[in-house]
Amino acid sequence: MWRVYCFPLCPFSRKIRLLMSEKGIGYEIWRTDPWDAGEEFWDMNPAGRTPVVRDAVKDITLADSRAIAEYFEETVDKAPMINGTAKNRAEIRRLVALFDENFYHDVTMPLLHERMKKRLILRQPPDSRMLRDAMKMAHGHLDYIDYLVDTRPWLGGPQMSLADLAAAAQISVADYLGGIDWRDHAEAHSWYTTVKSRPSFGPLLSERMEVIQPPRHYALLDE
Ligand SMILES: N[C@@H](CCC(=O)N[C@@H](CS)C(=O)NCC(=O)O)C(=O)O
């Protein structure tokens, strides 16, 4: 069985866990905080980042969520997530990069820093200006999702794809940290509720990161 080295609020690990569940690939979680990881973890990924996945029986270790996603896409036929025509697949990859890079840097990373790292590691209060800025950036990204789901059934095209999983993974962490205001984003909210209601999402919604509690609506499927 695969082991996923991650911590509950890592959006890239969430994306991989969603992909593995959708494809029916079994895995166990191995709690790893990159800021407190040991030598074994650094040996597996010299970048020192989660997620890392390992199958000890086959002696396969993979790191970097995009490399991992491509590996499972190439080796497991069930539920293709980089799907459709070459043009479609390029569009899916574009959106995955947009959410992994832009959304993460604009929204998820500052929220993780202010609300998680400062609380658990640095023992400092969050900077309210940084929180406000991250929420403002989230608003812009949600506007774009409103537009996408207005013009196509799923973010990347006619079928659910890795673009939906990447976006929902980032949004779920931002939502956990109180950084998402769903008002004025009915289309994005309806799309997110559909993704969040899938069985693959269940385990993510029930996990908690120590003393940091999500807002009440976070795990509810009708809100
Ligand atoms: N490009 C990487 C990004 C992974 C990443 O940034 N992971 C964060 C946790 S969410 C991390 O491990 N950060 C620790 C660090 O950068 O030192 C991927 O897609 O896997």
Side-chain angles (χ1 to χ4, degrees):
M1 180 183 305
W2 288 93
R3 175 178 283 180
V4 182
Y5 294 78
C6 62
F7 62 98
L9 292 181
C10 170
F12 304 100
S13 307
R14 285 183 169 221
K15 176 183 67 178
I16 291 306
R17 293 175 61 191
L18 290 171
L19 177 77
M20 293 175 85
S21 295
E22 291 290 338
K23 285 183 168 292
I25 304 167
Y27 67 84
E28 64 172 3
I29 291 295
W30 197 259
R31 172 69 186 263
T32 307
D33 297 334
W35 56 90
D36 193 24
E39 210 173 306
E40 184 206 1
F41 180 71
W42 282 88
D43 284 346
M44 288 190 296
N45 184 10
R49 297 192 181 120
T50 53
V52 169
V53 301
R54 174 160 171 77
D55 181 332
V57 175
K58 294 189 185 145
D59 193 21
I60 301 173
T61 304
L62 308 169
D64 186 90
S65 70
R66 280 195 249 173
I68 298 168
E70 296 276 348
Y71 174 87
F72 287 130
E73 194 63 8
E74 287 170 20
T75 55
V76 180
D77 289 339
K78 188 181 166 195
M81 287 287 156
I82 305 175
N83 46 37
T85 62
K87 186 174 157 213
N88 262 134
R89 297 197 299 277
E91 174 65 351
I92 291 164
R93 290 187 172 101
R94 175 186 78 82
L95 289 167
V96 170
L98 181 76
F99 291 105
D100 280 3
E101 292 168 20
N102 298 60
F103 193 101
Y104 178 66
H105 284 104
D106 295 343
V107 182
T108 322
M109 189 170 68
L111 288 171
L112 281 169
H113 184 78
E114 295 302 323
R115 288 220 190 270
M116 184 192 77
K117 284 196 182 152
K118 281 192 171 174
R119 177 97 187 258
L120 299 181
I121 308 165
L122 304 170
R123 313 266 175 217
Q124 290 170 7
D127 178 334
S128 53
R129 192 176 54 85
M130 297 295 283
L131 292 174
R132 262 198 317 275
D133 286 352
M135 286 186 81
K136 216 154 87 190
M137 295 302 278
H139 184 64
H141 285 284
L142 291 175
D143 273 345
Y144 186 55
I145 293 178
D146 286 336
Y147 158 77
L148 288 176
V149 293
D150 228 15
T151 53
R152 29 174 101 162
W154 296 91
L155 297 192
Q159 292 180 54
M160 187 173 83
S161 74
L162 192 60
D164 298 282
L165 306 186
Q170 295 289 338
I171 289 173
S172 68
V173 174
D175 199 29
Y176 186 112
L177 296 169
I180 300 288
D181 181 352
W182 289 108
R183 283 172 302 173
D184 301 329
H185 297 292
E187 290 91 346
H189 187 246
S190 155
W191 159 82
Y192 180 61
T193 304
T194 304
V195 181
K196 165 179 163 179
S197 304
R198 295 183 73 81
S200 58
F201 231 92
L204 306 185
L205 294 175
S206 62
E207 283 172 19
R208 296 293 174 267
M209 183 81 196
E210 280 88 58
V211 292
I212 304 163
Q213 291 301 320
R216 197 189 133 271
H217 70 257
Y218 166 75
L220 299 177
L221 298 183
D222 52 356
E223 277 188 47

